Amino acid sequence: MSTTLDSYGEETGTKDQLVTPWNHQIASGVELLRNPRYNKGLAFTAEERQAHYLRGLLPPAIETQDIQVKRIMRNVRQYAEPLQKYEALMDLQERNERLFYKVLIENVEELLPIVYTPIEGDACEEYGEIFHRSGGLFISLNDKGHILDCLKNWPEKNVEAIVVTDGGRILGLGDLGCQGMGIPVGKLALYTALGGVRPSTTLPIQLDVGTNNQALLDDPFYIGLRQKRVTGQEYDDFIEEFMTAVKQAYGEKILVQFEDFANQNAFRFLAKYSKTHLVFNDDIQGTASVTLAGVLAALPITGGTLADHEFLFFGAGEAGTGIAELIAMEITKHGKISLDEARRKTWLFDTEGLVTKSRKGSLYDYKKPFAHDHEHIKDLVSAIKKLKPTVLIGTSTQGGSFTKEVLEAMAENHKSPIIMALSNPTKKAECTAEDCYKYTKGRALFASGSPFPAVTYDGKKYVIGEANNCYIFPGVAHGCIISGAIRVDAEMFLKAAETLAEFVTKEDLERKQLYPAFPNIRNISAKIAAGVAAAAYDLGLASKIPKPKDLLGLATSSMYSPSYRHYR
Ligand code: NAI
């Protein structure tokens, strides 16, 4: 077959002159600069430039990685819009992976809100407009029957951890269809930056089963299938094919984190696949673990044990019921009461009001264990006055729903009520930190799902702890990987919560800060990973035999380092 060349010397095959897109890669010269895994930019040494055909391809300056980090941060800080910062960081990840992770690790507190909540939520909303690279696998209904082929097309063969979404319910933003991809990409960046999981072993996946978001379907820049979501058997069969293919491609120990599925599906798939696969759902279990940690950390101030508290959840979805269940498990673990008795200390409140036994007939299964005997109550303030909870947790996606009356009612119940406004992004938070301290007269212990600035009340400065799942999931993933766990057990999330709570210092508590400072997060992840791995060995779920003597040492030393390598 003959092809012609255009003025740039490139082939101009017409439709009847198709050519095969054949190419081979060599890790030198310009290909080396274009390979994000190996590129070091101006940090290539003179010897490396000579040995790898880079002469003339770079300006003469030879820089350290530290200077490169400074330059990136200087540039990122110059952008006024958080979304521009997000794009700049994603560009960096595409250009120079090690530099990206070094920047992220060394500036974790500043950059976390950009690469993770809340800004990654904005990025998902705009994903069609800002899209210029896949960043992971997109598997759509068009790939039915070929999902294994999709996985085989991914260039890395040694994948250990997958984060997968179907975009059904992104953060508190609803159905974003195929534009949910920003979430698996962001979460896996944190697997590496915070949990030390090697980037080459992580795989973000977006399943596209359609979207019911009409605005997206009408948007010319939408990147997904232009059809309504499939449901029922067709949807379940698609997920089943995916879960089967994942094991065929990567084996029994592949970790699959379900992310931002609509809540009914999230509970169903977690229940179904946790028996056959190494899976967890961060929205349910990770959230539960980080929230439990905050409550455990608060106990020295509130006094008493976990079992001495009464919990009310405003919002009874994945987050609310997940937290309620893990709290009940922790009470059972340390007390002499059954799981059912422990569950009776937690109350759920949803769109219909208090979840009670009389509503059992119409409740989803995941709410039923918390449907207790009580008269039905329609409004939150009355529920607080009747039930007298000492802990109020907002997971409702209803911004501002913890009103002055709600907060004042909570202040009646305890000298230091625990109030958590977990809904994300910031505009969805049930109350602000400022209002919480104002209406409880500085007595509450507050934590939020999105970052809030410190608050000064009555001359005292309070730092707002962020119940951020990223304290938990990177360490849990690393622990599963280093132990070769074959299943995830709830005990691992209890262990993670207990470990995280231990990192909260007396000084933190003096500022009413229920979570430790972010800069320490890699150490926290390592300790969590060691605890998770220990649980895997204790429960007979670990496959890496024999059990290493020093799990913490292993968890720490096996963490990915973003420092550049030297090339021969
Ligand atoms: P979901 O959609 O599963 O649940 C939301 C629940 O709120 C549903 O039960 C719904 O019935 C209830 N609800 C809605 N409007 C209500 C109203 N007016 N009154 C009472 N209840 C109402 O969502 P999911 O996954 O539980 O997440 C909830 C929120 O928590 C989201 O904003 C999410 O971003 C946030 N979240 C925060 C986390 C953190 O801070 N670490 C982690 C996970 C979720």
Side-chain angles (χ1 to χ4, degrees), residues 169 263 287 314 316-319 350 395-398 422 424 449 467 469:
R169 192 244 45 195
N263 61 16
T287 306
F314 183 67
E318 291 174 54
D350 64 12
T395 52
S396 65
T397 70
Q398 301 301 306
L422 297 185
N424 289 323
N469 295 29

Side-chain angles (χ1 to χ4, degrees), residues 116-117 169-173 260-264 267 282-284 286-288 290-291 313-321 323 349-353 366-367 394-398 401 421-425 428-430 448-450 466-470:
Y116 191 49
T117 53
R169 192 244 45 195
I170 297 296
L171 306 173
L173 301 169
D260 285 352
F261 281 72
N263 61 16
Q264 261 290 69
F267 284 107
D282 185 54
D283 307 307
I284 301 172
T287 306
V290 75
T291 309
F313 291 86
F314 183 67
E318 291 174 54
T321 51
I323 303 164
F349 196 104
D350 64 12
T351 38
E352 304 297 315
Y366 58 86
K367 296 187 194 180
T395 52
S396 65
T397 70
Q398 301 301 306
S401 47
L422 297 185
S423 289
N424 289 323
K428 306 265 182 179
E430 282 77 7
S448 56
S450 296
E466 194 187 325
N468 195 322
N469 295 29
C470 74

Side-chain angles (χ1 to χ4, degrees), residues 34-83:
R34 286 180 187 156
N35 186 327
R37 184 136 300 150
Y38 299 107
N39 182 24
K40 302 200 278 186
L42 289 181
F44 281 109
T45 63
E47 295 73 34
E48 287 170 334
R49 292 177 191 207
Q50 170 64 22
H52 297 283
Y53 304 95
L54 296 173
R55 268 187 190 278
L57 297 181
L58 292 164
I62 293 173
E63 292 188 343
T64 62
Q65 201 177 5
D66 289 335
I67 282 288
Q68 292 181 310
V69 170
K70 284 202 176 101
R71 180 189 290 110
I72 296 290
M73 286 310 293
R74 187 172 168 277
N75 292 343
V76 165
R77 285 177 186 137
Q78 275 172 357
Y79 289 117
E81 293 298 321
L83 205 52

Side-chain angles (χ1 to χ4, degrees), residues 315-369:
E318 291 174 54
T321 51
I323 303 164
E325 183 68 1
L326 203 72
I327 285 177
M329 284 182 177
E330 179 76 1
I331 292 175
T332 309
K333 182 175 164 183
H334 295 285
K336 291 197 174 73
I337 63 175
S338 69
L339 188 59
D340 267 347
E341 277 175 280
R343 283 174 178 149
R344 260 176 250 136
K345 293 182 168 298
T346 61
W347 295 87
L348 306 181
F349 196 104
D350 64 12
T351 38
E352 304 297 315
L354 191 65
V355 172
T356 54
K357 216 169 188 172
S358 58
R359 291 179 52 197
K360 235 176 174 170
S362 61
L363 288 175
Y364 284 128
D365 284 347
Y366 58 86
K367 296 187 194 180
K368 284 182 181 162

